[in-house]
Amino acid sequence: MGKKLKQTSLLLAMILLFTIAFALPSFAEETGDVSEPIVTDVTDPSDVTDPSDVTDPSDVTDPSDVTDPSDVTDPSDVTDPSDTPSDPVILQTMGDLNADGKVDSGEARIVLRYSVGLENIDTAVIAYADVDLNGAINSNDAREVLRVAVGLTGETQHSFVNGETVEATCNAGGSVTYTCAHCDQAGTITLEKLAHAYESVFNTPATCTEDGLDEQKCTACGEERDVVRKAKGHTYEETNRTEPTCTATGLSKSACSVCGDTKEETIKAKGHSYKETKNQAATCTAAGVLEYTCSVCSNILSMPSNALGHQMVRCTATVPQHCSRCNEKYTGVQQAATGLYYYYTKSGNTYSCAKNQIVGSSYYGPDGARVDGDAAIDAAVKFVNTYVGSSGSAKERLQRAYNIFYQYFEYGTNADLTATPDGRYLPGFCVEFFEDVGGNCFRFASALAYVARVLGYDVGFISGQINASGGGTTTHGLTEVYYNGTTYWCDAMMQTSYPNINSFWVTQSSYPYGYTRNYRIRMYVENGKVTWS
């Protein structure tokens, strides 16, 4: 960091100095303010010896006149050198580092470089660089030297002589003292201590694994030191390589090019580089699969997903239970959100709700809702399934039920005949009829009405007065069946008494017996419930 700062300072100072060096000389010439160089000790022309005074060659002493060595004066008679006059003092202008009698910008450059530690100045002339006499050499000294070089200073410059120098050593700094020949001003410049000049006297080189030792000695002061050279570490070069695969590790074998040491390094398996190659979405009934294939080794990663399953929507009287996702529809018994049960069948692509018919052991009404919890309906369904069967048309099956009624069920009197029977009692009459295998006309009529109902007919119950065989009339009930706008009467009880007179599927006008209807009640089935009104 310090070196960079010094270099930066030098650069800025150099720019300043050379700007002045190149700009100011022209200025000095124009103004005529260039100082004449000061020359000292120049001999006066009058002091030059006249040629006539030169000794004639003939006056040279003859060699024979050379004094005999024995005539040489005794050494003790030789004059002491200290008595010899001193050599003349050589004066040197401030900044004139090379003692050439002039100061130029090159010397200013040397002073500047010395001030930032980039150049050395001989201690013999270092005093001539300290222009401002402050005991230190800096950029101000360089500036003043440059001003002298271009003649911009009019002041008398110091000329230092007889400087005393104490050389700097490795262990101590030095100094230079000086005195101006003009004004006797003296000063001292301190010289920094020198760095040791170490040379190796014994060197143990570092190896790959062990530190080395360099034993050094200063050539100037003899100081010794040991410098540890860190172990270099191995310089491995690969000698064999087994590349890794997607799943298997690789192996690298290396040897040190210096000491031959070997090592092995396991190379981590690369892992698969998968790319999606199949994306089959799961459906309600089929599993999905997402497949990835490695672009390097073709390994396949399969990620199955479970079937989604249906997302059911409950049925209604018109739409079967179905999946909201795939719209698959279902058949069979289904419960609606209302709690009612419906039965759907399928023919081709058509789904149909069973209505007004027996399915299995249940009866589904005209609106498709299953009738549950009605004992009379259950008894009628059981009778049809057991004795009537499912073959033939509804009328044919009703005919078979009618025949069984009058052939196998017996007429019996009951004390519950009224001119206007209450509909609440008719279900009970039906149940009693099948349990007792017979009964009066009300029980025959109510049981046959329930059978006709589960076979798909709209039915009713009527009561009135029928002509009695012994004269007069008596209360009598029979079954009404409503089909295609026509009302038909079925009277199984009278058929038991008169087997040869048809009382099945006759209109009121063709009924073979005199009869006056006084009361009619009709059966209704809706939302799984049976009512009479």
Side-chain angles (χ1 to χ4, degrees):
M1 182 66 178
K3 186 175 181 180
K4 289 185 177 179
L5 289 175
K6 287 182 177 182
Q7 291 175 340
T8 303
S9 301
L10 175 62
L11 177 61
L12 294 174
M14 289 292 293
I15 293 172
L16 173 62
L17 292 175
F18 283 102
T19 299
I20 297 173
F22 285 102
L24 295 183
S26 60
F27 173 75
E29 291 175 2
E30 292 175 3
T31 59
D33 192 22
V34 178
S35 301
E36 290 294 329
I38 300 175
V39 181
T40 61
D41 298 334
V42 177
T43 305
D44 189 278
S46 63
D47 295 334
V48 177
T49 305
D50 188 273
S52 61
D53 294 334
V54 177
T55 304
D56 187 275
S58 62
D59 295 333
V60 175
T61 304
D62 185 271
S64 62
D65 295 333
V66 174
T67 305
D68 186 273
S70 62
D71 296 333
V72 176
T73 306
D74 186 271
S76 61
D77 296 332
V78 177
T79 305
D80 188 277
S82 60
D83 297 331
T84 304
S86 300
D87 293 331
V89 174
I90 300 175
L91 300 180
Q92 206 167 323
T93 303
M94 293 298 289
D96 185 12
L97 303 183
N98 57 8
D100 62 355
K102 60 182 179 179
V103 179
D104 56 34
S105 60
E107 287 161 315
R109 177 177 179 275
I110 292 173
V111 175
L112 180 61
R113 285 175 59 81
Y114 178 84
S115 70
V116 294
L118 295 180
E119 189 162 334
N120 291 323
I121 299 178
D122 193 320
T123 55
V125 297
I126 198 168
Y128 299 100
D130 187 15
V131 178
D132 55 11
L133 304 179
N134 66 353
I137 297 173
N138 51 40
S139 59
N140 289 331
D141 296 307
R143 175 177 175 275
E144 290 303 317
V145 172
L146 182 60
R147 286 173 58 82
V148 172
V150 298
L152 292 183
T153 177
E155 300 177 0
T156 302
Q157 300 299 305
H158 293 286
S159 295
F160 292 106
V161 295
N162 296 334
E164 181 181 353
T165 300
V166 176
E167 296 292 344
T169 68
C170 302
N171 300 310
S175 64
V176 175
T177 59
Y178 47 85
T179 304
C180 180
H182 300 302
C183 65
D184 294 329
Q185 181 170 340
T188 300
I189 294 178
T190 300
L191 304 176
E192 293 185 1
K193 184 174 67 173
L194 301 178
H196 289 292
Y198 287 110
E199 287 186 354
S200 178
V201 295
F202 186 80
N203 183 26
T204 302
T207 66
C208 295
T209 57
E210 295 182 354
D211 293 341
L213 182 64
D214 188 4
E215 299 177 22
Q216 299 177 346
K217 186 175 182 179
C218 179
T219 58
C221 68
E223 180 176 314
E224 296 179 349
R225 72 173 180 180
D226 292 339
V227 178
V228 176
R229 307 298 185 189
K230 293 294 183 182
K232 298 178 179 179
H234 292 294
T235 304
Y236 286 111
E237 294 181 357
E238 191 173 61
T239 57
N240 185 269
R241 183 181 183 88
T242 301
E243 293 293 340
T245 66
C246 294
T247 56
T249 58
L251 183 65
S252 174
K253 295 181 180 181
S254 302
C256 178
S257 61
V258 178
C259 69
D261 183 73
T262 60
K263 71 172 183 177
E264 292 184 355
E265 292 181 334
T266 300
I267 306 172
K268 185 179 179 181
K270 296 179 179 179
H272 294 294
S273 298
Y274 284 116
K275 293 183 179 179
E276 183 180 305
T277 53
K278 183 178 182 180
N279 189 344
Q280 178 178 309
T283 66
C284 294
T285 56
V289 63
L290 186 60
E291 286 187 356
Y292 295 88
T293 302
C294 178
S295 60
V296 178
C297 69
S298 300
N299 180 71
I300 297 176
L301 174 64
S302 182
M303 301 174 65
S305 58
N306 296 328
L308 302 176
H310 292 298
Q311 200 165 31
M312 292 300 180
V313 177
R314 289 183 177 273
C315 68
T316 65
T318 56
V319 180
Q321 180 174 296
H322 62 280
C323 175
S324 62
R325 191 175 5 249
C326 68
N327 201 39
E328 181 175 344
K329 297 179 176 64
Y330 287 81
T331 60
V333 180
Q334 303 167 16
Q335 187 178 28
T338 59
L340 298 176
Y341 287 90
Y342 297 87
Y343 187 89
Y344 275 90
T345 58
K346 179 182 179 182
S347 177
N349 293 323
T350 302
Y351 290 82
S352 301
C353 179
K355 295 181 179 181
N356 206 20
Q357 61 182 325
I358 296 173
V359 178
S361 60
S362 300
Y363 168 68
Y364 293 83
D367 58 359
R370 188 175 72 188
V371 178
D372 291 324
D374 191 299
I377 289 291
D378 292 343
V381 170
K382 182 178 180 180
F383 172 78
V384 170
N385 287 341
T386 303
Y387 301 105
V388 177
S390 59
S391 63
S393 65
K395 184 178 179 181
E396 290 172 341
R397 296 169 71 197
L398 181 59
Q399 177 75 69
R400 287 200 295 271
Y402 179 88
N403 293 341
I404 293 172
F405 270 32
Y406 83 81
Q407 291 175 3
Y408 298 100
F409 286 77
E410 296 182 355
Y411 171 75
T413 59
N414 300 88
D416 50 14
L417 297 178
T418 61
T420 56
D422 192 326
R424 293 177 298 172
Y425 299 114
L426 297 184
F429 291 165
C430 171
V431 173
E432 291 175 1
F433 177 78
F434 289 113
E435 290 177 350
D436 299 338
V437 194
N440 62 16
C441 61
F442 280 11
R443 285 165 174 74
F444 266 91
S446 61
L448 188 59
Y450 273 97
V451 169
R453 175 77 270 179
V454 299
L455 289 176
Y457 290 106
D458 288 338
V459 297
F461 176 92
I462 62 174
S463 66
Q465 298 296 312
I466 190 171
N467 293 335
S469 60
T473 60
T474 184
T475 301
H476 184 65
L478 54 87
T479 304
E480 276 191 336
V481 178
Y482 312 111
Y483 181 72
N484 286 341
T486 302
T487 300
Y488 297 96
W489 289 1
C490 296
D491 192 350
M493 194 217 75
M494 289 301 291
Q495 196 76 46
T496 62
S497 300
Y498 304 98
N500 296 324
I501 300 175
N502 179 44
S503 298
F504 174 75
W505 206 264
V506 295
T507 62
Q508 181 176 356
S509 60
S510 61
Y511 184 66
Y513 309 103
Y515 185 79
T516 302
R517 185 185 67 188
N518 297 325
Y519 179 79
R520 170 186 286 162
I521 188 172
R522 190 166 182 170
M523 180 190 294
Y524 295 94
V525 181
E526 187 176 9
N527 294 327
K529 300 297 180 182
V530 176
T531 58
W532 290 89
S533 61

